[in-house]
Amino acid sequence: MSSSNQIPNLKTLLGRGRGGGLRGRARGGPGASSAGSEAVRDNAVRGTDQDAAGSRVSCVELGYLDDPYAKLFATQPSTRRLPLLNRGSYVRTTAIDTLIDRFLTTPTPGPKQIVSLGAGTDTRYFRLRDKHPNTPLIYHELDFPANAASKLLSIHRSPDLQDALDTSHLSLSLSPPQQSYHSPTYNLHALDLRTLATPDPATLPDLPNLNPTAPTLILSEMCLVYLHAPAVKSILHALTTHYLSPAAPASLVLYEPIRPNDAFGRTMIANLATRNIILPTLTAYPELADQRARLRGYGFVGGGGAVDTGFVWREWVGGEEKERVAGLEMLDEMEELELFLKHYSVCWGWRDGDAEGEQRDVFRRAWAGVKDHDGG
Ligand SMILES: C[S@@+](CC[C@H](N)C(=O)[O-])C[C@H]1O[C@@H](n2cnc3c(N)ncnc32)[C@H](O)[C@@H]1O
């Protein structure tokens, strides 16, 4: 949901377009669905991060989000996104922030840990540090070496970002460009996530400073969707059994598109194929019920939920905040907005682990009151 050429032509889908038909599909052209070689696809996937960065900046400039760090990571000039996309980015960020804030404010002994897969230029670490200065937090971001190096370059260039890191650990080399960064609080690991999908634990890469016993929230915001379902399963298996002790309380928060089988979904897939992007888990887990079963299949059997972002807007955003956000830009096509929001999901699930007392049930307590489609 990052850039306007990624979404279907909504007017056409709602039967109001002049040309009719699925415009995105026509643009796909022969061979678009096979989507080129793996290297070309990886390059396209890496590039999606700048879409996400641009969407964040658009939302900040229009007052949807308060994020002083967004601009510092964007490498392209800011372009105002469509109101629909701004609303979508707002809901996406708000939903994930809600789950993370509840985790961080739930009392536990010892530190908490977040592992952000395909973090790209996400600013969340910096925002969380400002918002929860007294919560002991170990943060890990994983992304392709090129994206990680570019993030470190942005940090190197910005005194504000350097101030936000524990600078006693900051020694960035520009030549050759540094790709990974490690400290007791913030870590950026430059790697292809698929290297975690190995059957041989001896070949798994080192993830320095990953605490094997801290309650850990694994976040995938538009990342695992680009990988094949069996690889995703192996990656999560490695994280939850090798890097983390099987006794550690752990959870997964996923943000991904859903409902690929209606006109909107089919057109979204065709549009992305023209950019050499495929979304394997979208077709593997098409509905919210599939996402719920998926999380349980990864071992997050303690509990969880799955909602579409239309539900998040209706049920998670308070009345006053809704009014504020609705007043930021004219958005009179409510039917289009609803169609758009119902094609993205936020899913969460946890395992309690074998830890004692407050550590054991941290996710259960954190997310007890979160409204789920199933009424949870
Ligand atoms: C759409 S961006 C999302 C970035 C960030 N999570 C956000 O929501 O703002 C997808 C990110 O996932 C990363 N990614 C996708 N597949 C990956 C892989 N196999 N290994 C490492 N990173 C990957 C991309 O490089 C990119 O930074």
Side-chain angles (χ1 to χ4, degrees), residues 163-213:
D163 282 353
L165 289 185
D166 179 356
T167 45
S168 61
H169 295 268
L170 192 73
S171 61
L172 290 178
S173 135
L174 293 183
S175 145
Q178 189 170 324
Q179 296 180 327
S180 288
Y181 174 80
H182 302 300
S183 83
T185 48
Y186 175 73
N187 295 274
L188 178 51
H189 307 277
L191 49 78
D192 182 335
L193 283 168
R194 288 166 296 192
T195 56
L196 306 189
T198 166
D200 178 6
T203 63
L204 282 167
D206 192 22
L207 295 180
N209 299 319
L210 199 127
N211 182 320
T213 54

Side-chain angles (χ1 to χ4, degrees), residues 144 257 281 284 368:
F144 283 117
T281 65

Side-chain angles (χ1 to χ4, degrees), residues 2 45-49 52-53 56 92 116-122 142-144 147 191-194 220-223 226-227:
S2 302
V45 165
R46 280 199 299 271
T48 60
D49 178 51
R56 256 191 302 277
R92 155 187 183 166
S116 174
L117 307 178
T121 51
D122 186 17
L142 286 68
D143 211 305
F144 283 117
N147 283 23
L191 49 78
D192 182 335
L193 283 168
R194 288 166 296 192
S220 166
E221 181 179 5
M222 274 312 275
C223 169
Y226 299 111
L227 304 180

Side-chain angles (χ1 to χ4, degrees), residues 64-226:
Y64 285 89
L65 299 173
D66 178 18
D67 182 348
Y69 303 106
K71 244 189 159 154
L72 304 175
F73 285 115
T75 58
Q76 287 157 16
S78 65
T79 355
R80 185 175 173 148
R81 300 290 201 251
L82 295 172
L84 189 75
L85 294 174
N86 290 326
R87 185 75 75 87
S89 301
Y90 165 84
V91 178
R92 155 187 183 166
T93 304
T94 304
I96 296 171
D97 284 356
T98 301
L99 292 170
I100 291 184
D101 283 343
R102 281 173 166 258
F103 169 51
L104 294 185
T105 52
T106 301
T108 47
K112 296 189 172 91
Q113 184 162 250
I114 294 178
V115 177
S116 174
L117 307 178
T121 51
D122 186 17
T123 56
R124 201 165 260 114
Y125 169 73
F126 299 91
R127 292 192 290 109
L128 291 177
R129 214 180 151 279
D130 290 345
K131 199 166 176 185
H132 305 280
N134 300 321
T135 302
L137 175 63
I138 311 164
Y139 207 93
H140 299 267
E141 298 188 328
L142 286 68
D143 211 305
F144 283 117
N147 283 23
S150 145
K151 187 163 198 174
L152 287 180
L153 193 60
S154 299
I155 295 173
H156 181 80
R157 285 193 185 126
S158 161
D160 287 347
L161 291 173
Q162 288 196 28
D163 282 353
L165 289 185
D166 179 356
T167 45
S168 61
H169 295 268
L170 192 73
S171 61
L172 290 178
S173 135
L174 293 183
S175 145
Q178 189 170 324
Q179 296 180 327
S180 288
Y181 174 80
H182 302 300
S183 83
T185 48
Y186 175 73
N187 295 274
L188 178 51
H189 307 277
L191 49 78
D192 182 335
L193 283 168
R194 288 166 296 192
T195 56
L196 306 189
T198 166
D200 178 6
T203 63
L204 282 167
D206 192 22
L207 295 180
N209 299 319
L210 199 127
N211 182 320
T213 54
T216 299
L217 183 154
I218 302 167
L219 169 65
S220 166
E221 181 179 5
M222 274 312 275
C223 169
L224 292 175
V225 68
Y226 299 111

